[in-house]
Amino acid sequence: YQRRVREAVVSTQSTGSSGINAEYGGASLADGQISADELELHHGHMHWEHKEWNKSYDHAALRRGFQVYKEVCQACHSMNYMYWRVHTDVTHTKEELKAFAAEYMYESTDDDGNRVERPGDIQDFMPAPYANEIKARLANNGAEPPDLTLINVAREGGEDYLFSLLTGYEDVPAGQAGPAEGQAYNPYFHGYYIGMAQQLYNESVDYEDGTIPYQSQIAKDVIQYLSWSAHPYMDETVMYGMKALSSMAVLVACSYFMMRVRKNHVRLRQINYVAPGHARRSLLTGLSTTRASTPLLIRSSGILI
């Protein structure tokens, strides 16, 4: 990537052109030698075990990912479509979730219809950090932090893209325009300049289970949690699918046994139909006979004639 930038800069200087094309936010040079889309890095591919057809989510990783979201991401990002109760027996126990929910105050009404605030319950949605979109934009230099409930399916590339984005922050390369106030440079983000500064570092989270909090480990855990939040019932779906495949295999085996053993005489029989009054040739004697009655069916060696 840096080599291509240097080549483009040299090409621009050699042709005497100057300046940077503002249309692409400083990523495309004015002489048209290189464009922003060409410099944008494509995310790599990682092996995610929970995406295999016969695997489930790592619930220890989901618990760590919830901790990362709560300590790092929740300050700016909401999960408005996720209930506390959905985490029950997945990441935490019911008592732990009640304690988490009680840390926040929710608006409600009393018996007289007056608006009051009450402690949260596991039946509530997870709270948003900002009251509305305007306050969210004012606190983040005009950029609204997206909701993370379905972020895994809302971004092309899914887990791979999110991992590259969270761990791909770099210094601005030579020849590139600097970011605006409140922005950071990330080559995996479309347009390079993202309104979220780097959030994940080594040991930025102290895991309660003793897992070493490397940056890649933290990103992997929170991405698994976000993947689960988009598909909270994936484990049950996989389990039902495996039960259906097992039942289908038993039914296929029983059907094959019935066809080959119990119904073999039905498979081997043949029916020779002769219209009344027409000559017919017997398959047993080879003689031509004429009958005015209905066809005669004879069973011989499993053959009906």
Side-chain angles (χ1 to χ4, degrees):
Y1 166 78
Q2 294 180 352
R3 179 182 59 82
R4 296 181 65 190
V5 172
R6 288 194 296 268
E7 291 177 354
V9 173
V10 171
S11 176
T12 302
Q13 294 174 349
S14 64
T15 56
S17 60
S18 60
I20 296 177
N21 191 346
E23 179 183 357
Y24 295 100
S28 176
L29 298 180
D31 61 350
Q33 294 294 323
I34 197 167
S35 67
D37 293 336
E38 292 176 349
L39 288 178
E40 184 176 326
L41 296 184
H42 186 71
H43 59 77
H45 176 70
M46 294 184 59
H47 174 71
W48 301 93
E49 187 173 352
H50 64 269
K51 300 186 72 173
E52 298 182 14
W53 70 273
N54 60 341
K55 300 293 184 179
S56 64
Y57 286 103
D58 182 0
H59 286 217
L62 296 182
R63 185 183 180 96
R64 294 193 300 268
F66 175 85
Q67 180 182 352
V68 175
Y69 168 76
K70 194 170 185 298
E71 296 182 5
V72 179
C73 309
Q74 194 178 24
C76 297
H77 295 275
S78 62
M79 295 191 73
N80 291 327
Y81 307 102
M82 176 61 66
Y83 289 97
W84 290 105
R85 57 180 170 81
V86 180
H87 299 78
T88 305
D89 297 331
V90 178
T91 61
H92 298 80
T93 63
K94 187 176 181 179
E95 289 71 21
E96 290 175 324
L97 293 173
K98 285 184 177 180
F100 287 143
E103 297 176 1
Y104 305 92
M105 301 301 293
Y106 290 80
E107 291 187 355
S108 182
T109 55
D110 57 13
D111 296 337
D112 297 328
N114 300 319
R115 186 176 298 276
V116 296
E117 289 188 346
R118 59 168 178 81
D121 187 72
I122 60 173
Q123 301 299 329
D124 296 317
F125 284 105
M126 296 180 67
Y130 304 105
N132 50 58
E133 178 184 349
I134 297 177
K135 291 186 177 181
R137 291 185 179 276
L138 289 175
N140 294 275
N141 297 308
E144 182 187 9
D147 186 90
L148 297 184
T149 311
L150 302 174
I151 195 67
N152 184 65
V153 295
R155 297 294 183 268
E156 183 180 0
E159 294 91 340
D160 295 331
Y161 168 74
L162 294 178
F163 184 86
S164 299
L165 182 70
L166 292 176
T167 60
Y169 285 87
E170 297 178 358
D171 295 332
V172 180
Q176 187 93 343
E181 182 181 358
Q183 292 184 335
Y185 177 79
N186 193 316
Y188 295 98
F189 184 74
H190 184 69
Y192 309 111
Y193 300 123
I194 184 172
M196 179 181 69
Q198 183 174 353
Q199 301 293 322
L200 303 184
Y201 300 89
N202 293 335
E203 301 181 356
S204 59
V205 176
D206 186 14
Y207 283 136
E208 57 186 14
D209 61 355
T211 302
I212 301 177
Y214 293 120
Q215 182 195 42
S216 58
Q217 181 67 51
I218 297 173
K220 182 172 179 288
D221 292 336
V222 71
I223 289 170
Q224 286 199 63
Y225 173 71
L226 296 178
S227 176
W228 171 82
S229 69
H231 307 282
Y233 303 106
M234 181 61 70
D235 286 353
E236 289 80 357
T237 303
V238 172
M239 181 181 64
Y240 293 147
M242 295 184 70
K243 288 182 178 180
L245 291 177
S246 301
S247 301
M248 187 180 299
V250 173
L251 292 176
V252 169
C254 293
S255 300
Y256 181 80
F257 175 80
M258 293 293 294
M259 181 185 67
R260 298 293 297 177
V261 178
R262 301 302 299 273
K263 300 296 183 180
N264 195 44
H265 64 282
V266 178
R267 294 175 57 251
L268 295 178
R269 71 180 181 180
Q270 295 181 359
I271 299 177
N272 185 21
Y273 178 79
V274 178
H278 291 72
R280 65 185 298 273
R281 183 176 296 276
S282 174
L283 297 180
L284 297 179
T285 62
L287 301 177
S288 178
T289 60
T290 301
R291 294 182 181 273
S293 59
T294 58
L296 179 64
L297 302 178
I298 303 176
R299 183 185 296 274
S300 175
S301 300
I303 301 177
L304 297 180
I305 302 175

